[in-house]
Amino acid sequence: MRRRLALAVALSLLPAVSRAAAPAPIVTCIETAASVYRLPPAVILILLSVEDGSLGRISRNTNQTVDIGPMQVNSIWVPAVAKHWDASPRDTYAALRDDFCANVEAGTWILRQAMDEAHGDFWGGVGFYHSHDPSYQADYLRKVLRQTLRLQALASRQTTHQTPAGG
């Protein structure tokens, strides 16, 4: 229960996510993906915040790919995700774009692949989630660290300003 409350508080701090759908289904999607792929829910929240995507959002990249939805899953992953889901690339693209839970499941699956590729190096896996280019990784990891510290400070302020029940 305490973890679920902390997740809900953290979600309320993410404007793009909190607009996407009601908090309970979002929390369930994140917790389920985290459990299935053996990752902390907090890292999914942080990546959602860093990526700053939203349902229906397609962001064009300079390398002729696009990033899709809340976790900004790169279109280069569509064939692999389609195979993982046993779905067509067209249906996969639409789900990544329009379904929060599908996007989070795919993004978390991709993160798990990156973690495995990094042989247990957590930060190496987070870097691989974004890119295999060391300079892009370094920039992304700085963004992740900044966002982690920002969300931690916001959550700390929010919990210290709450009054106890009945008081």
Side-chain angles (χ1 to χ4, degrees):
M1 181 67 172
R2 178 183 247 177
R3 187 176 88 171
R4 197 168 185 68
L5 177 61
L7 197 52
V9 167
L11 279 168
S12 71
L13 302 173
L14 304 175
V17 174
S18 61
R19 286 191 308 265
I26 289 174
V27 169
T28 300
C29 293
I30 292 169
E31 286 181 336
T32 300
S35 176
V36 167
Y37 296 112
R38 303 172 329 278
L39 293 166
V43 76
I44 299 168
L45 286 172
I46 291 164
L47 294 184
L48 280 162
S49 182
V50 169
E51 294 296 341
D52 197 28
S54 59
L55 287 178
R57 181 172 179 186
I58 304 295
S59 305
R60 300 212 177 278
N61 297 314
T62 57
N63 65 355
Q64 309 307 311
T65 64
V66 296
D67 293 335
I68 309 163
M71 288 192 77
Q72 292 288 276
V73 173
N74 190 280
S75 58
I76 202 146
W77 281 97
V78 169
V81 173
K83 184 176 180 183
H84 169 64
W85 287 347
D86 194 25
S88 72
R90 181 179 178 169
D91 289 346
T92 298
Y93 185 94
L96 290 172
R97 183 189 62 214
D98 301 330
D99 183 320
F100 181 85
C101 287
N103 188 278
V104 167
E105 192 281 336
T108 308
W109 177 73
I110 293 165
L111 179 59
R112 175 79 265 157
Q113 311 281 318
M115 293 290 179
D116 292 347
E117 184 179 351
H119 305 290
D121 177 351
F122 181 82
W123 293 110
V126 171
F128 281 158
Y129 174 79
H130 181 69
S131 176
H132 282 71
D133 179 287
S135 63
Y136 289 134
Q137 285 179 357
D139 183 51
Y140 190 73
L141 289 171
R142 279 190 290 275
K143 289 177 184 175
V144 168
L145 177 59
R146 275 194 303 269
Q147 200 64 333
T148 301
L149 295 173
R150 185 184 79 79
L151 291 174
Q152 184 179 36
L154 285 171
S156 177
R157 277 189 295 236
Q158 188 163 346
T159 56
T160 58
H161 293 302
Q162 291 178 349
T163 41

